[in-house]
Amino acid sequence: MGNKPALIGYRRWYNFVSQTNPSYSGTMKDIAHYAPLLSDSEDGDPVVSPRRPEKRTSIFHLAIIVAQALLIIGLVALNWSTYTKSKSAACSQVVYSPLQHLLEYKPVLYGNGFHEQVTIYQGEPSPEVDQAWDDLYNDFGASAIPKEQADLLDNKTLALPTGEYLVEFSVFHSLHCLNIIRKAMRPDYYTDPITGTIAGIDSQSLPDHVSHCFDNLRQNLQCASDVSVIVWHNVPGNPLPEPRQDVVHSCRNFDKDC
């Protein structure tokens, strides 16, 4: 009795196929493999029941599509995050600075320092050259910052009677150091005739100051690690290629107003 509904289903399916397709020559046994797909409708006509394997296949395909979409979204988000981090990292300060909110970059075309590209900071000593160097840093040799900024410094600094705190920004110290080296190279011009000092430094202390400045500038160059590209070119009359110093660099905006 338990198999009767299935047998009735086979029979009605066979009758339905035979009536609608007179050329069908199969037997009822030939359609036995359709058993999982057959059922009886309320009016006695055979109908095809839902095909569960196809449903499972569709769900599986849908799951793959969803997984692929999530993977693509994840990769896009990761790449965007890496891109934005790489951009922001270029302007970020690992160590706090009161001036870090002013950091921005701009392209700067270097001069090669020869011939027509000699700058005001080069050449023979003169009052004009000295003034150009002094203007780079003398107004910024030392600065005062409020307590709330001083509290954020990694290293503590001296408190002033005004309640502010004394600091000096490294770039100005480095420019000062380079200026000392420049003057030390020309003792004939920069030695004070009365005190015998150069840039206010006596002759006994000058070698140590110059040595300090050389190493300070070395550290600064390594710290900045400028990765702008110097290219090479052929020069007429010269059998060997030469580097071009007059190329564009990515520089922090030195002239940014505070």
Side-chain angles (χ1 to χ4, degrees):
M1 294 295 292
N3 293 331
K4 186 175 181 180
L7 292 175
I8 293 175
Y10 302 158
R11 188 176 295 109
R12 288 179 176 172
W13 174 259
Y14 176 77
N15 291 338
F16 176 76
V17 173
S18 300
Q19 292 171 6
T20 57
N21 188 6
S23 62
Y24 178 73
S25 58
T27 64
M28 191 170 69
K29 290 182 180 180
D30 294 331
I31 62 170
H33 64 282
Y34 290 107
L37 309 179
L38 303 179
S39 64
D40 292 323
S41 65
E42 293 181 357
D43 56 4
D45 292 329
V47 296
V48 179
S49 62
R51 302 184 68 175
R52 293 179 183 174
E54 289 187 358
K55 272 193 171 181
R56 287 196 296 269
T57 302
S58 298
I59 293 174
F60 178 71
H61 288 164
L62 179 61
I64 292 177
I65 293 172
V66 171
Q68 289 175 335
L70 292 175
L71 178 60
I72 292 173
I73 293 173
L75 289 174
V76 170
L78 178 61
N79 288 337
W80 177 253
S81 175
T82 303
Y83 171 72
T84 53
K85 284 181 179 179
S86 66
K87 289 192 71 177
S88 62
C91 293
S92 66
Q93 276 284 119
V94 177
V95 177
Y96 171 75
S97 168
L99 297 183
Q100 63 189 30
H101 65 287
L102 298 176
L103 295 182
E104 65 179 21
Y105 281 74
K106 67 176 184 178
V108 175
L109 177 64
Y110 275 28
N112 63 21
F114 294 101
H115 311 302
E116 72 282 356
Q117 294 190 33
V118 170
T119 71
I120 185 59
Y121 306 102
Q122 298 175 259
E124 288 297 309
S126 69
E128 292 76 21
V129 171
D130 291 345
Q131 187 62 52
W133 277 93
D134 290 343
D135 289 344
L136 287 176
Y137 65 88
N138 264 356
D139 290 340
F140 305 96
S143 301
I145 61 173
K147 185 178 186 302
E148 56 267 25
Q149 291 183 337
D151 288 342
L152 298 175
L153 298 176
D154 285 66
N155 302 287
K156 300 308 176 184
T157 190
L158 182 67
L160 298 171
T162 60
E164 296 176 302
Y165 288 77
L166 187 65
V167 296
E168 180 181 4
F169 296 102
S170 181
V171 59
F172 302 122
H173 172 257
S174 295
L175 289 170
H176 166 71
C177 257
L178 188 57
N179 200 20
I180 289 177
I181 295 174
R182 181 184 71 89
K183 291 180 177 180
M185 292 174 62
R186 292 297 303 269
D188 57 311
Y189 185 90
Y190 289 106
T191 299
D192 188 291
I194 299 176
T195 63
T197 61
I198 295 178
I201 305 171
D202 62 73
S203 57
Q204 288 186 334
S205 302
L206 187 61
D208 287 341
H209 275 80
V210 170
S211 177
H212 152 76
C213 285
F214 269 122
D215 201 56
N216 176 264
L217 292 173
R218 174 196 63 80
Q219 293 178 80
N220 271 269
L221 290 171
Q222 289 184 268
C223 179
S225 294
D226 184 4
V227 293
S228 303
V229 178
I230 295 173
V231 297
W232 290 67
H233 66 151
N234 292 315
V235 179
N238 190 341
L240 299 176
E242 294 182 1
R244 283 192 57 184
Q245 306 292 335
D246 52 338
V247 295
V248 176
H249 290 244
S250 179
C251 301
R252 284 182 174 176
N253 189 353
F254 182 78
D255 299 318
K256 180 75 173 180
D257 291 332
C258 296

